Amino acid sequence: MRRISFNKAFNAFMIIGMALAIVLTTVSKMQSPGSNRHLLLIAAFGSLMGILSTVSSANGRIVTFLFGILDVSIYAATCFIGQKYGNAALHLLYFLPMQVVGFVQWKKRGAGKSETPRARRLGVRGRLFAGAAMVLCSAALYVSLRESGAGDTPLFDAIAVVCNIIGQLLMSAAYMEQWIFWIGVNISSILMWSLSLAANPGDSYTLIYVIKYSFYLLNAINGLRLWIKMSRNG
């Protein structure tokens, strides 16, 4: 009973807390001279859909993919505007169709309106392979982004892209280890958008993404805790 009560309180904190933070930030930034109000409102709405998606995912609810479609589409557009081309391409060409793939796969593993999917864990070999792939692919993408002059944060952009790809694959197949990569995504995204905000304070929508991924990081830590328990018999 205590665990269920904690989860309900934590979920409420995540959703209400981020909603309030996003609303207050949006209202404040809209008063700034030269702010792009339309883009600011769109980014705020996408972030709210994103927090609903990630909270649902941590709790093993299949509705995560419905909220995810809206979040992914909006984030792809704002990443492109902010010259985060790696993340823009990733979300448009990979994450968007993977929402459908994930929905189908979770249904196959027993997920429903109130049922969670049958969670599982990678073996030692799978974990080593996933870790090596993350390091090598991040390094290769970083070099490519740096040489092409794509944006001002190629390292964190690269890490976020690769962790997103691996995390989504593991999420679609209901593996617990997805949350390790989501934590990597959130930390690198916080750093990426914080540096962009420091370099261009006038880009008001970037603050929304710093707030968004800060909340996401808290949720990912809770998601890891929940899925460790869910996957014990997987």
Side-chain angles (χ1 to χ4, degrees):
M1 182 66 68
R2 186 174 301 173
R3 180 179 64 85
I4 295 175
S5 298
F6 171 80
N7 262 346
K8 289 182 177 179
F10 183 83
N11 293 340
F13 164 75
M14 289 294 298
I15 295 172
I16 297 173
M18 184 168 177
L20 287 174
I22 292 301
V23 169
L24 292 175
T25 302
T26 301
V27 171
S28 174
K29 287 296 184 178
M30 286 183 72
Q31 310 305 316
S32 301
S35 65
N36 188 328
R37 295 188 175 184
H38 292 95
L39 184 58
L40 194 59
L41 289 173
I42 292 172
F45 177 73
S47 294
L48 291 175
M49 293 300 99
I51 199 63
L52 290 174
S53 176
T54 194
V55 168
S56 298
S57 176
N59 288 271
R61 302 303 180 189
I62 199 168
V63 72
T64 181
F65 299 106
L66 302 181
F67 292 124
I69 289 174
L70 293 171
D71 175 39
V72 167
S73 300
I74 293 171
Y75 189 65
T78 52
C79 277
F80 183 81
I81 293 170
Q83 295 186 318
K84 307 296 184 285
Y85 299 124
N87 268 280
L90 168 73
H91 283 74
L92 181 62
L93 302 178
Y94 176 72
F95 261 112
L96 191 56
M98 284 299 287
Q99 302 306 305
V100 179
V101 173
F103 182 87
V104 172
Q105 290 301 314
W106 277 32
K107 288 287 287 185
K108 289 181 178 180
R109 294 194 62 80
K113 290 183 178 180
S114 58
E115 296 81 17
T116 62
R118 295 185 300 275
R120 49 187 172 174
R121 301 183 185 184
L122 291 172
V124 174
R125 187 176 300 177
R127 292 178 182 180
L128 289 175
F129 179 80
M134 189 277 289
V135 173
L136 294 175
C137 293
S138 294
L141 183 56
Y142 163 68
V143 172
S144 177
L145 291 173
R146 185 187 63 183
E147 293 300 318
S148 65
D152 53 358
T153 56
L155 176 60
F156 300 125
D157 195 6
I159 294 174
V161 167
V162 175
C163 284
N164 264 310
I165 291 173
I166 299 174
Q168 181 65 57
L169 285 172
L170 296 176
M171 175 185 174
S172 296
Y175 280 103
M176 173 273 293
E177 288 81 3
Q178 61 171 294
W179 293 103
I180 297 173
F181 291 95
W182 293 139
I183 289 172
V185 169
N186 297 327
I187 292 174
S188 58
S189 295
I190 290 169
L191 293 171
M192 180 178 73
W193 289 110
S194 293
L195 290 173
S196 293
L197 180 63
N200 302 288
D203 291 342
S204 52
Y205 67 93
T206 57
L207 179 58
I208 288 178
Y209 286 121
V210 173
I211 295 171
K212 170 183 175 178
Y213 282 103
S214 296
F215 274 89
Y216 275 21
L217 179 58
L218 293 176
N219 187 71
I221 294 170
N222 188 52
L224 178 61
R225 180 186 69 86
L226 292 174
W227 278 65
I228 286 174
K229 295 179 180 179
M230 288 169 56
S231 62
R232 280 177 180 165
N233 299 317

